[in-house]
Amino acid sequence: MVKRVLIIGGYGNFGSYIARSLAADPGIKLLIAGRSFDKASRLVSQLRAAAEPEPVALDISADIAATLAATRPDILIQTTGPFQTQSYAVAEACLRQGCHYIDLADARAFVAGIGRFDQEARRKHLLIVSGASSVPCLTAALIDDYRPRFTSLQKIDYGISAAQQTNRGLATLSAILSYVGKPLTTLIDGRRATVYGWQGLHAETYPRLGRRLFGNCDVPDLELFPARYPGLRTLRFAAGTEIRVLHIGLWLLSWLVRARALSGLGSFASKLNRLAFLFDASGSGRSGFHMFLSGLGSDGKPKSERFFMIAGSGHGPYIPCMPAILLARGLANGAVSATGARACLDLIDLQTYLGALEGLDIEIIRTADAAP
């Protein structure tokens, strides 16, 4: 039986990657939704789909329940952020309608709080998943895979370096700007400590990419992982831009926010996004992800592991989109039977995740026992 999959923001940055990946699945009929019916129709006309897709006009700030009642999706994928400023209205509408819900949220409180719907979702045999993206899905899968190699996993330092020549969504930038210069808590030396968004300036050297800058980011992992990995003493997640002047410019602005000379940078999102496009000629389509894990090995001696993902040809966005793609397929063909409401943890293992990326311009590099 063909399942109806509605993608909110289906013609947008991440939504279009998901739509193109699911279109050829004979068990899925896509509903491409967004505020612009014309843009949805344009993408529908470009998709090579097994089942004819449909455009849908949908505004999540309006009566989403009426749209779901009219379109009758079996599965809904919510890609439109920033989730830092959203309520759970879409998830609640899915519960009322009786359809599965998947989002790509990267907002700490939003993802951590989705469990409030667990009892109702289980009663209705629905899966309500938040954070079906790089964080916390890929990051937790990586830690779970490496954890047995340590008798004591003590420190995790990881981050994402974005390609300059990529589809940059305004919502993604708005999400980052929401915490630039703002205080956030993380785990340092066994204690909850306060750091500031886009500060903690540091550089990492990537294979193939060279040296790139990073700054502190607020992600669901910082809330979820201290309890999930109780022996952990230090946890740092960071992100950065390929173009150094853009990264340093945002770092300088973070100090104005921290000093309260600016209340925040959200109102500058459109201008900063347009400014970033001016640097495209100086950048590339290569992005990266790194995770450094350290602690004690089976012999009781210090041990460390390093993991890199290098994405070229503009294929980086497939990495955060993959959990939603895999879950939608699994729900459609019956391979995923989980119910309840949860952050996207323990639903996709590392082998499955990385296997789904095969065929893309994405290289995996692992090294062991590098200096912590």
Side-chain angles (χ1 to χ4, degrees), residues 68-305:
L68 296 190
T71 55
R72 298 173 291 104
D74 299 291
I75 303 161
L76 181 144
I77 302 174
Q78 159 65 317
T79 74
T80 57
F83 290 90
Q84 283 79 0
T85 57
Q86 287 187 30
S87 71
Y88 291 112
V90 178
E92 291 176 299
C94 288
L95 282 168
R96 291 193 296 270
Q97 178 63 28
C99 71
H100 302 291
Y101 166 90
I102 303 164
D103 71 43
L104 276 66
D106 59 356
R108 180 174 182 164
F110 189 98
V111 175
I114 198 69
R116 70 184 64 183
F117 303 111
D118 187 62
Q119 186 174 357
E120 183 179 359
R122 290 181 185 276
R123 188 175 70 250
K124 294 184 175 181
H125 305 288
L126 296 174
L127 183 60
I128 305 295
V129 178
S130 187
S133 192
S134 303
V135 290
C137 181
L138 172 61
T139 50
L142 265 169
I143 297 169
D144 292 345
D145 188 77
Y146 274 101
R147 196 179 183 188
R149 308 181 192 188
F150 294 84
T151 56
S152 174
L153 177 58
Q154 300 171 349
K155 180 179 179 179
I156 306 173
D157 190 347
Y158 58 121
I160 296 171
S161 179
Q164 178 63 23
Q165 295 177 6
T166 188
N167 294 328
R168 283 187 297 277
L170 182 60
T172 300
L173 178 59
S174 297
I176 294 170
L177 295 179
S178 71
Y179 54 74
V180 168
K182 301 290 182 68
L184 58 101
T185 59
T186 189
L187 193 63
I188 301 177
D189 295 330
R191 298 181 180 181
R192 288 280 189 170
T194 299
V195 297
Y196 291 83
W198 215 255
Q199 298 195 353
L201 183 67
H202 63 285
E204 300 293 351
T205 301
Y206 274 72
R208 319 283 187 260
L209 303 184
R211 225 164 148 73
R212 292 199 175 181
L213 297 179
F214 289 86
N216 299 323
C217 282
D218 199 15
V219 292
D221 304 26
L222 304 184
E223 190 71 28
L224 299 170
F225 287 2
R228 182 177 175 86
Y229 307 108
L232 201 59
R233 293 186 54 79
T234 298
L235 181 69
R236 178 171 71 169
F237 179 83
T241 63
E242 178 182 1
I243 304 299
R244 290 194 175 194
V245 67
L246 292 177
H247 188 103
I248 292 172
L250 198 55
W251 174 74
L252 291 172
L253 289 173
S254 76
W255 286 99
L256 295 179
V257 176
R258 181 173 176 175
R260 299 184 180 179
L262 291 174
S263 60
L265 299 180
S267 61
F268 299 100
S270 293
K271 291 180 180 179
L272 291 174
N273 200 38
R274 289 196 297 270
L275 175 64
F277 279 105
L278 299 178
F279 291 82
D280 279 5
S282 302
S284 72
R286 298 186 298 170
S287 58
F289 169 87
H290 71 275
M291 179 176 282
F292 306 152
L293 307 96
S294 57
L296 300 178
S298 58
D299 57 1
K301 296 180 179 180
K303 175 181 177 60
S304 65
E305 299 271 358

